[in-house]
């Protein structure tokens, strides 16, 4: 469902000549799978996700999402994905219902169909109680529920989550993780970026550890344990990052 | 930008959503709806009522008058009107005013001439009470003096006409409406443009920079909507917000005028002024392309802003830039048949002013709106392009500082550096040069410019020699100068002639210029060193060296040449020399860029200055504008061919890069 092939993003910088935010990353993510991108801040996770969502154009390499190339068919790629970031991306002066109808209409639904779909999502995500309240008055947990509903308005086959639990309290974070797991059960292909080890450990079927724009290791948690000899993901992560800093082959 | 695939229904969806958000924002409602509606009632009930109240108060204001002399002499002229003045007798009026014991004073001098009286009114021009008091007294005295003279003439049996054998009467053919239009025509375009800016600006900043800050913009761009659809949707709302503000403002003005309530502070304006619906409609039509232009410009600003606050900071230069062309309404003698017709916003201001005055010229009206529509389309295209820039899209605040902000942008740094040099030139070097022309110029060139040319690459952390293009020139580049020199001279002649037709340089300027460059009593060698060789070296090192070299590390070769040429033109501090220096700057820029060496540009600059100073006027008289145009095209084309050939075929092309970085 997601095939990333040697994707690279270079930002031009007159002082450092060029800055490789992402440097030849390749991975695959299948339907019904949560694929984790784990890395420290500035590792290149957000840039990778921005390229996959066609917000940025890769300097080289490409990716195919739901059968569409991000370089040649960006419109179709965007129609195939639901994108969610930590900022929630909700319009503060609109209500959750208005936002859901708006994104339904943007994705080509008729007015009636968009309203019908909004009501479905309001029920599914338990947001009826505050569906008529402007988003600026909602708590962060409520906002994140609305954001997840917004990302799935068109029921896309691919979901991309960029650190969705940053800034949430424990309860709201747990509800978000539950929602992500529910979508896996529905057969969605989920790309999940985080720097929180426990989340990746609990949620992800396979993990790519990313550092300085490159993949340090890739595989299931068990495979990473075997590779590094460490039990916990935090230890695995540190040993791999230390290895790349000390010059060991990635 | 591919307009064929734009879906209008999607733009409609975005417009509806933006509209809903916009009307729920109190700041936008305040600047876009409430202010335009209340501005005229405010003028009536606020400022004008207050001014009328103040004027009434002043009528009954009592002034303290220090009087030195026989008070009875004064009473003859004031009769019973002395209740506004309390007279304080003194033998030192000046001392009294100095101690502020009186508002103004009178010295009465008698016996200086036979049968005459002389009053000296002593006041302070920097004290409002003193000025107003002495004006009021002088007015009274003048009135009573006329009555007194008339009485004396009757007493002596002399006809009144003996004192005024010639009568001059001025008859004003204007009506109260046209007089009011004449006065209001200055202020109304200014108010309308400001209302338009207010209506558009907050909406643009909120819809783009605000959404970036709130994280909504990225969400919108990763939905299946196209970027062109996003920009047109947002642009439409900014445009609508501006136009709604203008409509409300015009409506408020119409109602206020219709009710006859307008009581402006300007006493020449008739209070019963009416405005016709046709006038309102014509003014509105003039503002439509301006609204498109402002909306497109603001969309660009907002796209490049990192946050709402950053967007507001960027608004300040925009607002100042919008005010400047409005000032033409206050300048006497400017009409729509001048060069202003090509200047955006200023042209509309002039046409609106003329419409308000009742002099509507259809060709000027059409030309203005066509020109402004053209400009607005150019800016709209640039706005769409700005949204395509990846840096603009991801330019958001991250931990207080954006990643892109941390890098030193050579264009921004170069322009900031140039602005500092420009300010130093204006406030320090220009007064110095006015006082000591030759020394001042030499200090400017060999001090300020040379230092700046050395400093700018250091600030940008760029290597000095390649940035300044201090590479040895090649033979073909030098040979190209044989054609470039006459080409540059002919091009300058053509531009100067065209400028003389549109906006001739005042005689006082050209004479001062001739005095400095030609009639300066300097030996020839010194004159050539000061006005030809020194600018050739120092100005080239700064403009084609440091500035252009810095710009070229970030933008294309052509943009770097144009940017440095604009800086070069602005540094000459004269609107009359702007066009010629811009063209010369462009030629020098391309010579430096294509020859990959600064030396040919230095030689061309120095020789051009030398020849023009020594025999520029004689050459200009010898060639007609047609011959000069043909000469410019032929010579510049040949030199360009030679430089391009050299540029493409040199063996060291990979060693001497266009781009330093």
């Amino acid at each position: 469902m997601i095939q990333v092939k040697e994707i690279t993003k270079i930002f031009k910088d007159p002082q450092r000549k060029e800055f490789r935010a992402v440097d030849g990353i390749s991975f695959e993510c299948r339907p019904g799978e949560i694929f984790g991108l784990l890395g420290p801040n500035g590792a290149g996770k957000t840039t990778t996700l921005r390229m996959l969502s066609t917000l940025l154009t890769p300097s080289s390499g490409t990716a195919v999402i739901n059968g569409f190339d991000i370089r040649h068919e960006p419109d179709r790629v965007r129609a195939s994905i639901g994108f969610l970031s930590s900022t929630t991306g909700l319009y503060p002066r609109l209500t959750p219902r208005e936002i859901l109808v708006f994104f339904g209409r943007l994705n080509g639904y008729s007015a009636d169909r968009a309203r019908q779909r909004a009501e479905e999502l309001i029920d599914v995500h338990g947001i009826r109680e505050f569906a008529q309240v402007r988003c600026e008055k909602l708590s962060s947990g409520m906002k994140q529920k609305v954001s997840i509903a917004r990302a799935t308005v068109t029921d896309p086959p691919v979901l991309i989550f960029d650190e969705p639990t940053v800034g949430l309290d424990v309860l709201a974070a747990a509800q978000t993780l539950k929602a992500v797991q529910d979508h896996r059960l529905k057969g969605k292909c989920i790309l999940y970026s985080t720097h929180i080890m426990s989340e990746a450990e609990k949620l992800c079927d396979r993990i790519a550890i990313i550092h300085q724009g490159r993949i340090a290791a890739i595989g299931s948690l068990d495979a990473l344990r075997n590779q590094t000899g460490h039990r916990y993901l935090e230890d695995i992560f540190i040993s791999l990052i230390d290895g790349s800093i000390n010059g060991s082959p990635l | 930008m591919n307009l064929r695939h734009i879906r209008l229904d999607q733009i409609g969806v975005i417009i509806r959503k933006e509209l809903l958000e916009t009307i729920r924002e109190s700041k936008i409602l305040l600047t876009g709806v409430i202010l335009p509606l209340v501005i005229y009632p405010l003028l009536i009930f606020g400022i004008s009522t207050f001014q009328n109240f103040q004027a009434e108060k002043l009528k009954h204001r009592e002034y303290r008058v220090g009087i030195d002399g026989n008070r009875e002499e004064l009473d003859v002229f004031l009769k019973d009107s002395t209740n506004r003045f309390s007279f304080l007798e003194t033998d030192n009026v000046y001392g009294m005013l100095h101690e502020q014991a009186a508002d103004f004073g009178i010295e009465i001098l008698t016996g200086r001439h036979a049968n005459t009286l002389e009053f000296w009114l002593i006041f302070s021009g920097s004290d409002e009470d003193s000025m107003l008091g002495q004006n009021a007294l002088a007015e009274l005295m003048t009135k009573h003096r006329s009555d007194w003279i008339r009485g004396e003439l009757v007493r002596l049996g002399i006809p009144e006409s003996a004192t005024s054998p010639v009568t001059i009467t001025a008859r004003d053919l204007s009506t109260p409406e046209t007089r009011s239009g004449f006065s209001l025509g200055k202020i109304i375009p200014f108010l309308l443009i400001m209302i338009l800016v207010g209506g558009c600006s907050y909406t643009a900043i909120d819809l783009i920079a605000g959404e970036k800050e709130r994280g909504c913009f990225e969400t919108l761009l990763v939905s299946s909507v196209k970027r062109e659809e996003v920009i047109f949707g947002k642009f439409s709302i900014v445009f609508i917000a501006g136009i709604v503000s203008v409509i409300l403002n015009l409506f408020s003005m119409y109602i206020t005028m219709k009710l006859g309530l307008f009581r402006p502070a300007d006493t020449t304006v008739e209070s019963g002024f009416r405005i016709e619906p046709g006038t309102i409609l014509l003014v509105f039509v003039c503002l439509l392309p301006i609204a498109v232009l402002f909306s497109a410009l603001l969309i660009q600003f907002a796209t490049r802003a990192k946050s709402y606050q950053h967007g507001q900071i960027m608004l300040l230069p925009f607002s100042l830039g919008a005010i400047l062309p409005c000032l033409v309404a206050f300048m006497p003698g400017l009409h729509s048949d001048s060069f202003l017709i090509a200047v955006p916003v200023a042209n509309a201001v002039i046409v609106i002013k003329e419409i308000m005055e009742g002099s509507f010229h259809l060709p000027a009206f059409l030309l203005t709106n066509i020109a402004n529509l053209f400009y607005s389309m150019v800016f709209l295209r640039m706005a769409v392009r700005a949204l395509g820039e990846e840096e603009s899209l991801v330019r958001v605040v991250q931990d207080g500082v954006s990643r892109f902000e941390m890098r030193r942008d050579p264009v921004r740094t170069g322009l900031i550096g140039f602005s500092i040099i420009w300010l130093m030139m204006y406030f320090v070097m220009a007064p110095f040069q006015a006082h000591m022309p030759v020394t001042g110029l030499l200090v400017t060139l060999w001090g300020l410019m040379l230092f700046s040319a050395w400093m700018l690459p250091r600030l940008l952390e760029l290597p000095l020699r390649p940035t300044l293009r201090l590479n040895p020139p090649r033979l073909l580049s030098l040979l190209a100068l044989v054609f470039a020199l006459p080409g540059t001279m002919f091009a300058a002649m053509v531009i100067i002639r065209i400028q003389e037709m549109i906006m001739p340089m005042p005689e006082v300027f050209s004479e001062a210029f001739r005095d400095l460059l030609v009639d300066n009593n300097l030996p020839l060698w010194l004159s050539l060193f000061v006005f030809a060789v020194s600018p050739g070296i120092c100005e080239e090192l700064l403009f084609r060296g440091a500035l252009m070299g810095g710009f070229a590390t970030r933008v294309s070769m052509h943009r770097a040449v144009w940017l440095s040429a604009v800086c070069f033109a602005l540094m000459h501090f004269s609107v009359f020399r702007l066009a010629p220096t811009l063209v010369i700057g462009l030629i020098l820029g391309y010579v430096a860029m294509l020859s990959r060496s600064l030396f040919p540009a230095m030689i061309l600059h120095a020789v051009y200055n030398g020849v023009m100073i020594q025999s520029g006027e004689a050459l200009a008289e010898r060639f007609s504008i047609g011959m000069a145009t043909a000469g410019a095209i032929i010579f510049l084309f040949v030199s360009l061919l030679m430089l391009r050939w050299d540029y493409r075929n040199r063996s060291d092309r990979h060693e001497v890069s266009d781009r330093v970085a």
Side-chain angles (χ1 to χ4, degrees), chain B residues 58 61 63 103-104 124 127-134:
Chain B
L58 280 175
R61 162 94 158 80
Y63 296 99
D103 294 313
F104 65 98
S124 166
D127 181 337
E128 197 176 13
D129 282 344
S130 188
M131 294 259 288
L132 290 170
Q134 73 88 21

Short mmCIF file of all heavy atoms in Angstrom, two decimals, chain B residues 58 61 63 103-104 124 127-134:
data_model
loop_
_atom_site.label_atom_id
_atom_site.label_comp_id
_atom_site.label_asym_id
_atom_site.label_seq_id
_atom_site.Cartn_x
_atom_site.Cartn_y
_atom_site.Cartn_z
N LEU B 58 -13.32 79.56 21.16
CA LEU B 58 -12.27 80.54 20.86
C LEU B 58 -12.84 81.94 20.63
O LEU B 58 -12.21 82.94 20.93
CB LEU B 58 -11.47 80.10 19.63
CG LEU B 58 -10.38 79.04 19.88
CD1 LEU B 58 -9.75 78.61 18.57
CD2 LEU B 58 -9.30 79.60 20.81
N ARG B 61 -13.05 83.55 23.84
CA ARG B 61 -11.82 83.46 24.65
C ARG B 61 -11.34 84.87 24.97
O ARG B 61 -11.35 85.76 24.11
CB ARG B 61 -10.77 82.71 23.82
CG ARG B 61 -9.35 82.86 24.27
CD ARG B 61 -8.96 81.72 25.19
NE ARG B 61 -7.52 81.53 25.24
CZ ARG B 61 -6.70 82.28 25.99
NH1 ARG B 61 -7.15 83.30 26.69
NH2 ARG B 61 -5.41 81.99 26.01
N TYR B 63 -8.31 87.37 25.92
CA TYR B 63 -6.85 87.41 25.80
C TYR B 63 -6.27 88.51 26.70
O TYR B 63 -6.88 89.58 26.85
CB TYR B 63 -6.43 87.67 24.34
CG TYR B 63 -6.85 86.56 23.41
CD1 TYR B 63 -8.00 86.69 22.63
CD2 TYR B 63 -6.10 85.39 23.32
CE1 TYR B 63 -8.40 85.67 21.79
CE2 TYR B 63 -6.50 84.37 22.47
CZ TYR B 63 -7.65 84.50 21.71
OH TYR B 63 -8.03 83.49 20.88
N ASP B 103 -0.69 87.40 26.59
CA ASP B 103 -0.68 86.54 25.40
C ASP B 103 0.03 87.24 24.25
O ASP B 103 0.74 86.61 23.48
CB ASP B 103 -2.12 86.19 25.00
CG ASP B 103 -2.80 85.32 26.06
OD1 ASP B 103 -2.16 84.35 26.51
OD2 ASP B 103 -3.92 85.64 26.45
N PHE B 104 -0.22 88.55 24.12
CA PHE B 104 0.49 89.34 23.13
C PHE B 104 0.50 90.81 23.58
O PHE B 104 -0.08 91.12 24.63
CB PHE B 104 -0.13 89.19 21.72
CG PHE B 104 -1.51 89.72 21.59
CD1 PHE B 104 -1.75 90.98 21.06
CD2 PHE B 104 -2.60 88.97 22.01
CE1 PHE B 104 -3.04 91.48 20.94
CE2 PHE B 104 -3.89 89.46 21.89
CZ PHE B 104 -4.11 90.70 21.36
N SER B 124 4.10 85.95 19.68
CA SER B 124 5.03 84.84 19.44
C SER B 124 4.41 83.89 18.43
O SER B 124 3.31 83.35 18.66
CB SER B 124 5.30 84.09 20.76
OG SER B 124 5.91 82.86 20.47
N ASP B 127 3.42 80.39 19.65
CA ASP B 127 2.42 80.26 20.73
C ASP B 127 1.05 80.46 20.10
O ASP B 127 0.74 81.53 19.56
CB ASP B 127 2.72 81.33 21.80
CG ASP B 127 1.74 81.24 22.96
OD1 ASP B 127 0.63 80.71 22.77
OD2 ASP B 127 2.08 81.73 24.06
N GLU B 128 0.21 79.41 20.17
CA GLU B 128 -1.08 79.45 19.48
C GLU B 128 -1.97 80.57 20.03
O GLU B 128 -2.60 81.30 19.28
CB GLU B 128 -1.77 78.10 19.60
CG GLU B 128 -2.89 77.93 18.60
CD GLU B 128 -3.52 76.56 18.64
OE1 GLU B 128 -3.28 75.82 19.59
OE2 GLU B 128 -4.27 76.26 17.70
N ASP B 129 -2.03 80.70 21.37
CA ASP B 129 -2.87 81.73 21.98
C ASP B 129 -2.42 83.12 21.54
O ASP B 129 -3.24 84.00 21.26
CB ASP B 129 -2.80 81.63 23.51
CG ASP B 129 -3.67 80.48 24.01
OD1 ASP B 129 -4.52 80.02 23.23
OD2 ASP B 129 -3.48 80.05 25.16
N SER B 130 -1.09 83.30 21.49
CA SER B 130 -0.53 84.58 21.09
C SER B 130 -0.93 84.92 19.65
O SER B 130 -1.35 86.03 19.34
CB SER B 130 0.99 84.52 21.24
OG SER B 130 1.55 85.78 21.05
N MET B 131 -0.83 83.91 18.78
CA MET B 131 -1.17 84.09 17.36
C MET B 131 -2.65 84.42 17.20
O MET B 131 -3.02 85.38 16.52
CB MET B 131 -0.89 82.80 16.58
CG MET B 131 0.56 82.41 16.50
SD MET B 131 1.22 82.85 14.93
CE MET B 131 0.44 81.65 13.91
N LEU B 132 -3.51 83.58 17.84
CA LEU B 132 -4.95 83.75 17.68
C LEU B 132 -5.39 85.10 18.24
O LEU B 132 -6.22 85.79 17.64
CB LEU B 132 -5.69 82.61 18.39
CG LEU B 132 -5.57 81.24 17.73
CD1 LEU B 132 -6.14 80.15 18.64
CD2 LEU B 132 -6.30 81.21 16.39
N GLY B 133 -4.83 85.48 19.39
CA GLY B 133 -5.20 86.74 20.03
C GLY B 133 -4.86 87.93 19.16
O GLY B 133 -5.70 88.80 18.91
N GLN B 134 -3.63 87.96 18.65
CA GLN B 134 -3.24 89.12 17.84
C GLN B 134 -4.00 89.14 16.52
O GLN B 134 -4.35 90.21 16.03
CB GLN B 134 -1.71 89.17 17.65
CG GLN B 134 -1.11 88.15 16.72
CD GLN B 134 -1.09 88.61 15.29
OE1 GLN B 134 -1.16 89.82 15.03
NE2 GLN B 134 -1.02 87.67 14.38
#
